[in-house]
Amino acid sequence: MSPPPAPPAPPAYRGRLAPSPTGYLHLGHARTFWTAQERARATGGTLLLRNEDLDRARCRPEFAAAMIEDLRWFGFAWQEGPDCGGPHAPYDQSARLDLYRAAFDRLRAAGLVYPCTCSRRDIAESAGAPHESGVGGGDEPLYSGRCRPERLDAAEQNRRAAWPRAGHSWRFRVPDGRRLQFIDTALGPQSAVAGETFGDFVVWRREDLPSYQLAVVVDDAAMGITEVVRGADLLVSTFRQLLLLEALGCPAPAYHHCPLLLDAAGQRLAKRHASLSLRALRAAGRTPAELRLAWA
Ligand code: GLU
């Protein structure tokens, strides 16, 4: 008798560093990315660098170049990326628009998204008090649903059905009341309720570009990412992304959300904390080894 077939091997670990070149990287990025690198190394996995440069107003090529230099100085090494290529090139989001458009078209064809003409002010005014229950609380005002098709009269619905992609934003309609759960590999069990913890969210922007949520999901799936390691500020977004992955028929990766580094006043580090940028620390003679010891 032949032995029973071995169970299929789990896919090899693939992680990513996904900075946005909107400023210089700071110590908070380095700490989260260090965890990502250690988790990839611990399993002999692959780490890739993805340049999340979709926000045309805020991203600058000089920040993208600085990002690579600062990461290397700090001791990061990746096996695929914008500077070294790889099987899933290109690794600059601005060069991957066709993939995002195709995903958007699928969501639209499935009736899962609708155009939204609300301004930022409409949204702020119609939202209730910021929602505070659930994981980490809502991270943006809960959308009122004013542009949901059933709130419009039939003529307006027909008019909008013929709209092109560009010229307005498009929201993903969340399944109200559905509880979503996952086990975070750092923080343990997480749960949220669609329509309560977060509402219908933008997947395509008025400027005819994908939102962060859509781009990241398309890329994590296309690049075969098995675990997403990132800051805990994105915890609520993980639930949005799980819905998008499901809608696109893609398996979900594991998620590992790292606590954020806070400054002396308890504020989370941001690109405005110029003195804690990796550039400034390097110029001040600090070494990566010493900086890593400080957060240990
Ligand atoms: N590019 C995003 C940022 O810099 C992070 C994306 C992610 O890790 O999902 O905030």
Side-chain angles (χ1 to χ4, degrees):
M1 240 178 53
S2 55
Y13 188 101
R14 288 177 60 80
R16 81 311 195 268
L17 311 177
S20 300
T22 56
Y24 294 123
L25 295 181
H26 55 65
L27 208 50
H29 295 110
R31 187 166 77 161
T32 299
F33 291 167
W34 199 255
T35 302
Q37 174 159 289
E38 290 196 317
R39 290 184 68 79
R41 281 195 176 156
T43 50
T46 300
L47 187 66
L48 62 86
L49 175 66
R50 189 166 71 221
N51 175 23
E52 302 218 321
D53 60 347
L54 281 177
D55 187 340
R56 285 188 186 144
R58 294 170 60 224
C59 293
R60 301 220 306 254
E62 59 269 34
F63 289 138
M67 176 171 102
I68 290 182
E69 188 185 304
D70 294 347
L71 288 171
R72 286 207 191 291
W73 168 73
F74 199 84
F76 290 102
W78 49 92
Q79 292 76 52
E80 300 171 24
D83 55 331
C84 55
H88 300 283
Y91 292 87
D92 298 293
Q93 286 192 324
S94 58
R96 300 175 61 80
L97 294 176
D98 286 349
L99 281 163
Y100 311 137
R101 289 187 195 112
F104 172 81
D105 288 347
R106 285 172 55 203
L107 295 175
R108 186 174 185 186
L112 295 169
V113 297
Y114 60 87
C116 175
T117 56
C118 295
S119 65
R120 266 179 218 280
R121 185 197 282 170
D122 294 335
I123 291 164
E125 283 173 357
S126 66
H131 193 77
E132 280 184 354
S133 66
V135 284
D139 52 353
E140 63 179 33
L142 210 58
Y143 179 60
S144 66
R146 196 169 86 164
C147 284
R148 277 190 168 189
E150 71 271 21
R151 300 267 202 103
L152 308 172
D153 63 34
E156 183 61 14
Q157 282 185 36
N158 283 334
R159 211 170 66 82
R160 292 190 180 197
W163 276 359
R165 189 185 59 224
H168 28 260
S169 55
W170 292 79
R171 288 181 185 270
F172 182 86
R173 181 198 190 95
V174 305
D176 288 332
R178 181 168 152 203
R179 180 168 292 279
L180 300 160
Q181 291 173 301
F182 71 96
I183 298 180
D184 190 276
T185 53
L187 305 175
Q190 303 295 318
S191 109
V193 177
E196 291 177 22
T197 317
F198 63 95
D200 294 353
F201 56 91
V202 172
V203 290
W204 203 266
R205 291 159 43 194
R206 194 166 296 148
E207 308 88 310
D208 200 21
L209 286 171
S211 71
Y212 154 71
Q213 308 293 349
L214 182 64
V216 97
V217 153
V218 167
D219 287 345
D220 286 338
M223 295 178 178
I225 298 301
T226 60
E227 184 178 69
V228 168
V229 178
R230 61 185 174 199
D233 53 326
L234 289 168
L235 202 45
V236 178
S237 280
T238 296
F239 295 106
R240 300 184 178 101
Q241 293 171 21
L242 288 170
L243 287 174
L244 284 180
L245 286 164
E246 180 184 86
L248 292 167
C250 300
Y255 291 93
H256 187 101
H257 289 91
C258 302
L260 300 179
L261 211 55
L262 304 178
D263 69 9
Q267 296 280 321
R268 71 180 249 229
L269 289 197
K271 286 174 181 148
R272 65 179 180 278
H273 287 83
S275 62
L276 293 175
S277 73
L278 299 183
R279 305 234 117 182
L281 293 165
R282 178 183 178 181
R286 308 290 296 274
T287 69
E290 165 199 346
L291 294 168
R292 285 198 295 276
L293 266 179
W295 74 49

